[in-house]
Amino acid sequence: MTIVCAQAKKLPAVKIDRPVTIDGDLNDDSWKNVPAVGDFITYSPHFGKPSVHRTAVKIAYDNDAVYVGAYMYDDPANIRRQFTARDISDRQDVDVFTVGLDTYLDRQNAFLFKVTAAGVQADAKGSQNSSPVYDASWNAVWESKVSIKNDGWVAEIKIPFSAIRLSKNPLQDWGLNFGRFTRKDNENSLWSPEDPNKSGDINQWGTWEGLKNIKPPLRLSFQPYISGGFRNSPTTNGDVTEVLKSGGMDVKYGINESFTLDMTLIPDFAQVQSDNLLLNLTPFEVKFDDYRPFFTEGTELFNKAGLFYSRRIGAAPGGSSAVLKKYGADPNYVIDKNPGITRLYNATKISGRTKDNLGVGIFNAVSAPMYARITNVNTGKDSSILTEPLTNYSVVVFDQALKHRSFISFTNTNVLRKGNSRNADVGSVDLSLFDKKNTYNFGLTGRFSTIWGNNLSKNGFNTAASFGKVSGLLRYRGLVNIESDTYDPNDLGFIVNNNSVDYTGSISYNLLKPYKRFINRVYSAGFTNSFLYKPFNWSSLSVNAKAFFLLKNFWDISFNFQSSPLWNKDYFINSGTYNSYFLRRTPYYYFDINGSSDSRKKLYFSYNIGGAESPLPNDPYWNTEVGLRYRFNEKFQLSGDMTIEQDKGNWGWSYMNNSNGSPIIARRNVKRNTGIVSAQYNFTKRMNWTVRMRHYWSIINNTNFYNLKTDGYWDEIAFISGKNINYNTFNIDMFYTWDFLLGSRITIAWKNALGNNVVIDPYSNTSYLKNFGRSVNNPHSNEVTVKVVYFLDYLKLKKKSHATG
């Protein structure tokens, strides 16, 4: 039977007199008078049908916590119980139970708590702008226990009020939903149905009605840490060994029932995954992910306007490359110290939401001044060079939630540097309006940036407007985005380039009901037509189309087409900013096929095969990627991925012609290979070992050189030798992690990397295997660290003190 109209459900809240003992059974006396709910509705693979598996869930609360007891009926032989790391459950061989709490009933923000049949926890903070976003880096301290029964499995959960934010109103209603994922059938089912043809999910949750007299507790916790180890780095003068030691603390304090202060004092971010470095042939900056927990956890409010790129904080000192360039090859000097990262004194976040659904966020970080130290080998004199001044970074956000998922928000980012060398400020107002039926959306954005400092002053703006249909079979959106030539948010934000006017349109046809061999099908198409803002000149046109199919055997396949059908004008060939020279780039037509197999199987693979061509002779481009994952058992799995790419017609800036000041461009044969191998072994639900090896190789063979003319075309000049490039990076990241208590962790890390001063000849090493061998055999840096984090909760310490007193 298919549900024609999925109504959001309601559930009366039940308050209990004494806490539930979390033991993975539902025989505690506190559960006896709590009614169970069930009748879960399938979200996928076929929305609207009753779940094929019976689920019974009880939920209650007392003065300290929310308790959830769920019985997932099933044949025990069919229950999947793979051990994974915390927060890892997607595409894993596990059954999962989820509870979601929208504690302010704003239909936009929520907390998710998941537990797998193996007992592994996962949690996330959810938010909705134009589409749902879940921040899995958010971690709370809560209890759970599972058990396997003769007719299914049980999950019992305790979520302390100190782990979430809530109002102190005497009478409250919360948004609520329960979810169950059954891996054997790949079935996602929900207590309150979420129609995939409607935009959003939190807005479709049910309501938990009538929570009374909740007194939000004092939320105060500490996570002190100590870490130590060593780093051995190869240099031209031999290996250098450094002793690493650090200590600090993270503090979380509930200012009131709604607002929380998070502070990190003397943070240590050594034990994070290495960046995926690559050879960048463009004039634009490469954006890297941030793996530092403090800057990823609970920052969705700060990045609502897209102006907060946390990698700006603690980045490489701005003057470190200048020191290396000036003194690195000078035989008269030795560089004794040239830090590659900027240390932080502290960082603080204050965030929360008032009873009127006004979200407020304040972020501040202070980075230490960094110095390089050099020695004159002739005189023996040491000198210190300031490479990064003392800097303060701040973000302020006010986000007012409105009816029907709508919102209006104000964001301000600010960077102040000691010495007034360069300061920056960006202000933004963002408006998003949904109609009552959640069918249409209108968006409007206005931003203003200002840069000032010693002999430096410029102002710029960015404005955008969009309108679209966001629900139903047919969906579409149109967008106009204008960035002035002086708009610059990059001191704390990230944009590739400014000085643009973009007109973008997209349309999709979403067939989300099973049909014949398909579970769902989505057809989409779009275009972007771009101009310079100043001078207002046409720049480029691109079009794209895609067809996605999910088959009933849970394989998927996509067909993608992308083209720039006209000769484009590239105004940013060498500096990332507009100049009078531009390069006419050839039209191209690109097509690819990608997909993946059924991830329930032990052997899972994904693939991508693509190619492009242009009207120019001998100008092919192709790429292929193959990913494999094999699950040996419930504890161990091995993964690998190889990407191979070749562009025989890669055009770009080479150098400036000193005789006439015109750019010299090169046509290049570019090859790129990336190989990644990773392994995970989970000893228990709280102890795991992971290792990841990555080798990236790119070789640039110049085939022709041209003098770029003022009309964008070119004249060939004599071939210039010695400008080929061979670039390799190699990393191994290994981590052993043991969560020995709730919120407490021991981590042992080993990081290995190819030395920065290694040069592999591009003329004699032209194959991937040769470069891999040279990368392994050349000198490497090694770093071994141990870090211990201990969680201290003030309320628990207070109770223990009273008990012993």
Side-chain angles (χ1 to χ4, degrees), residues 223-226 250 740 743-747 787-791:
Q223 282 187 304
Y225 83 88
I226 56 171
D250 289 351
F740 59 95
S744 301
R745 171 175 291 185
I746 294 176
T747 306
K787 184 176 183 178
V788 181
V789 180
Y790 195 82
F791 177 78

Side-chain angles (χ1 to χ4, degrees), residues 73-98:
Y73 292 90
D74 203 349
D75 183 346
N78 295 331
I79 299 171
R80 304 296 175 90
R81 290 172 277 175
Q82 180 187 355
F83 283 108
T84 66
R86 183 188 171 107
D87 290 328
I88 303 296
S89 59
D90 290 346
R91 293 186 182 273
Q92 306 300 310
D93 198 36
V94 287
D95 288 11
V96 184
F97 172 77
T98 304

Side-chain angles (χ1 to χ4, degrees), residues 704-769:
N704 307 85
F705 289 90
Y706 305 88
N707 186 57
L708 184 61
K709 300 190 295 184
T710 56
D711 62 358
Y713 293 104
W714 49 85
D715 290 327
E716 188 166 3
I717 62 175
F719 185 80
I720 304 167
S721 61
K723 288 192 172 292
N724 290 353
I725 300 173
N726 194 30
Y727 180 81
N728 286 266
T729 64
F730 181 92
N731 296 92
I732 299 176
D733 296 333
M734 184 181 297
F735 300 97
Y736 164 82
T737 303
W738 176 30
D739 294 335
F740 59 95
L741 291 173
L742 290 175
S744 301
R745 171 175 291 185
I746 294 176
T747 306
I748 302 174
W750 170 52
K751 300 178 73 171
N752 172 281
L754 181 64
N756 293 328
N757 58 342
V758 172
V759 177
I760 300 176
D761 178 59
Y763 299 97
S764 59
N765 299 280
T766 58
S767 71
Y768 176 77
L769 290 179

Side-chain angles (χ1 to χ4, degrees), residues 684-720:
T684 68
K685 63 183 180 181
R686 291 184 181 174
M687 184 188 297
N688 62 78
W689 167 85
T690 63
V691 61
R692 180 181 188 264
M693 183 194 75
R694 176 181 181 266
H695 175 234
Y696 169 89
W697 168 60
S698 182
I699 189 167
I700 312 301
N701 290 312
N702 295 284
T703 58
N704 307 85
F705 289 90
Y706 305 88
N707 186 57
L708 184 61
K709 300 190 295 184
T710 56
D711 62 358
Y713 293 104
W714 49 85
D715 290 327
E716 188 166 3
I717 62 175
F719 185 80
I720 304 167

Side-chain angles (χ1 to χ4, degrees), residues 331-333 374-383:
N332 297 310
Y333 290 92
I374 62 172
T375 299
N376 187 313
V377 296
N378 299 316
T379 65
K381 182 180 178 181
D382 292 340
S383 300

Side-chain angles (χ1 to χ4, degrees), residues 162 217-222 251-254 791-795:
S162 59
L218 174 64
R219 291 176 289 126
L220 177 60
S221 63
F222 308 90
V251 180
K252 188 183 291 287
Y253 172 61
F791 177 78
L792 298 169
D793 182 85
Y794 171 78
L795 292 178

